[in-house]
Amino acid sequence: MRAWLRDTAGGLSATYWYLWTGLLINKVGGFAILFLSLYLTSQRGAGTAQAGLIVGTYGIGGLAGTLAGGVLTDRWGRRRTLLASHFGTVAALVALALSSELVLIAVLCTLLGVAQSMAGPAFVAAIIDVTPAENRSRAFNLQFWALNLGLAGASLLAGLLAQWSYLGLFLIDATCTLVTGLLIAWKVPETLRRPVTITRAGFGTVLKDRIFLVFVALTLIQALIYTQSQTIVPLAMHADGLSPSAYGSVVALGGALIVLGQLFVPRLIDGRRKHRVLALALLVDGLGFGLLVVADHLAVYLLAAVIWTVGSMLAAPPNAEINSELAPLALRGRYQAVFFLTFPAASFLAPALGGAGLEFLGDAHWLVVGALGAAAAGLHLWAGPPRERRAAAIRADTSVTADLR
């Protein structure tokens, strides 16, 4: 057991562990958004359509905040951006708890989306800064595990707190965010090392990087496939006459698998070519969702959930590791911002495209999803070698820059 713990967590700096602890605390307490639509309809008198629009403003703010976070991460530094994000989130959550006018709540939701999403690029950039390349797979694997453990905890606590007090739900979320901000202020130093040559490059440079954009596009496809589990699968289960509690069982099983099994993933994939691991992960994802073409009982949905969850578990570490490798030192924040945009984009596109697919294609929709996974697997195998050559060149350049200091 000790050897396994050493292999899983060894070689990671104290700064990494403070960042990891802050992420876990923040995610366990991050339940306000989970119940925001219910809060608006039950406590603030909003109609269903109004609640949807107001919650949508959070996503709009998230897009803007992700881009702003990328720029600030490179200009201000990681620490300042993280502090601004967390303390801004605290202010927005407290204001939301005390607000009753729907227009004001919509404005505050937008600001909350901006503040919360700013942290993403800075958080990942800081991990890259303090973690040697050979340890990043473990670092990102543990980050993914903490994220899912925190979300599982938040989901359990949110239901209990909502029955007790929505005001308490927002304020406890704010308190957890404040604790994370104070931990960062106390223990996390600035990790940005200024490059020898100051660059004026910006998002234009990122958007001209074809190798990186191909990787981002493949990540978007992966996100579109996996997001089916949160958006279209519940509709398919309802059409099959299964209850909401049955879908809850599917979600709970996936979360339990990640919490129990993610820490063992590095032993399975360490030393293997990352593009091959991603190709396998996309094939497994496609197989899991493709299985739904014959699903009409809960047992088949549960089996499919096991398969697609394994795919997501395999994909998480190499996905994050490749993202870190392709980002030049001077533009790490901007590269992270563009990468992070894939997730809100998938949150919008998956229900729109998936809903149309399920309506017009019926069960054949899942064959399309499975074929998409197979196509993405093939594209990873094609794009992998040039991607690895680019990553090696960036590592060499970063090493030379460090030596010149």
Side-chain angles (χ1 to χ4, degrees):
M1 184 65 178
R2 289 181 180 177
W4 173 78
L5 288 172
R6 184 175 60 253
D7 290 343
T8 301
L12 300 175
S13 68
T15 298
Y16 169 83
W17 285 112
Y18 289 124
L19 289 166
W20 184 91
T21 301
L23 172 69
L24 182 60
I25 294 171
N26 205 12
K27 292 303 177 183
V28 168
F31 31 64
I33 289 300
L34 296 177
F35 274 66
L36 182 58
S37 58
L38 185 59
Y39 164 73
L40 291 169
T41 54
S42 65
Q43 302 292 310
R44 296 306 180 195
T48 303
Q50 280 182 309
L53 288 173
I54 292 172
V55 174
T57 64
Y58 174 82
I60 293 171
L63 291 172
T66 298
L67 294 173
V71 174
L72 294 175
T73 295
D74 289 333
R75 291 186 178 177
W76 277 8
R78 290 50 159 143
R79 186 173 186 273
R80 288 183 181 179
T81 304
L82 286 169
L83 293 177
S85 171
H86 284 83
F87 294 140
T89 297
V90 171
L93 285 168
V94 172
L96 271 171
L98 302 177
S99 300
S100 58
E101 295 295 328
L102 292 179
V103 173
L104 178 59
I105 290 174
V107 172
L108 291 170
C109 280
T110 305
L111 295 176
L112 179 63
V114 171
Q116 282 192 329
S117 61
M118 281 171 54
F123 187 88
V124 176
I127 289 178
I128 298 170
D129 292 341
V130 302
T131 307
E134 64 272 15
N135 292 330
R136 285 177 189 160
S137 178
R138 279 177 290 164
F140 288 122
N141 189 67
L142 286 164
Q143 175 202 356
F144 183 69
W145 181 75
L147 175 64
N148 282 276
L149 180 62
L151 289 174
S155 299
L156 293 173
L157 292 173
L160 299 175
L161 289 171
Q163 295 178 14
W164 165 60
S165 167
Y166 279 101
L167 175 64
L169 186 147
F170 281 99
L171 294 180
I172 293 174
D173 192 339
T175 300
C176 291
T177 305
L178 178 62
V179 169
T180 300
L182 293 174
L183 177 64
I184 292 169
W186 180 34
K187 287 294 186 180
V188 176
E190 178 53 62
T191 64
L192 173 62
R193 298 173 296 167
R194 297 291 177 184
V196 174
T197 301
I198 301 299
T199 179
R200 295 184 179 274
F203 279 111
T205 301
V206 184
L207 298 178
K208 293 176 183 176
D209 188 338
R210 293 182 181 179
I211 289 178
F212 179 70
L213 291 181
V214 168
F215 172 67
V216 170
L218 290 173
T219 304
L220 176 60
I221 292 174
Q222 178 190 332
L224 285 172
I225 293 172
Y226 187 73
T227 306
Q228 301 289 309
S229 66
Q230 304 163 6
T231 55
I232 308 304
V233 168
L235 298 178
M237 294 183 71
H238 176 74
D240 285 332
L242 297 171
S243 67
S245 63
Y247 175 65
S249 300
V250 170
V251 174
L253 176 62
L257 281 174
I258 292 173
V259 170
L260 295 174
Q262 190 67 45
L263 294 180
F264 297 93
V265 168
R267 284 203 168 190
L268 296 176
I269 65 175
D270 278 354
R272 303 184 186 277
R273 304 284 287 272
K274 288 185 279 292
H275 64 280
R276 292 178 181 173
V277 175
L278 283 174
L280 175 61
L282 266 297
L283 277 176
V284 173
D285 266 345
L287 175 63
F289 286 101
L291 182 61
L292 297 185
V293 73
V294 297
D296 53 4
H297 296 290
L298 178 58
V300 181
Y301 280 100
L302 291 173
L303 174 60
V306 170
I307 295 171
W308 76 56
T309 301
V310 169
S312 71
M313 291 166 65
L314 290 173
N319 229 9
E321 195 175 358
I322 292 169
N323 177 41
S324 72
E325 291 174 341
L326 293 177
L329 175 60
L331 293 172
R332 275 179 181 166
R334 289 172 175 84
Y335 269 71
Q336 301 311 314
V338 172
F339 176 78
F340 270 83
L341 286 177
T342 60
F343 302 106
S347 296
F348 170 74
L349 291 173
L353 298 176
L358 193 64
E359 179 177 350
F360 294 109
L361 299 177
D363 288 339
H365 165 75
W366 301 114
L367 292 178
V368 174
V369 176
L372 189 61
L379 288 171
H380 266 301
L381 293 175
W382 166 75
R387 199 164 59 204
E388 290 185 354
R389 289 193 292 270
R390 168 69 65 79
I394 291 174
R395 281 196 299 270
D397 181 64
T398 302
S399 176
V400 169
T401 303
D403 291 341
L404 291 175
R405 288 191 178 87

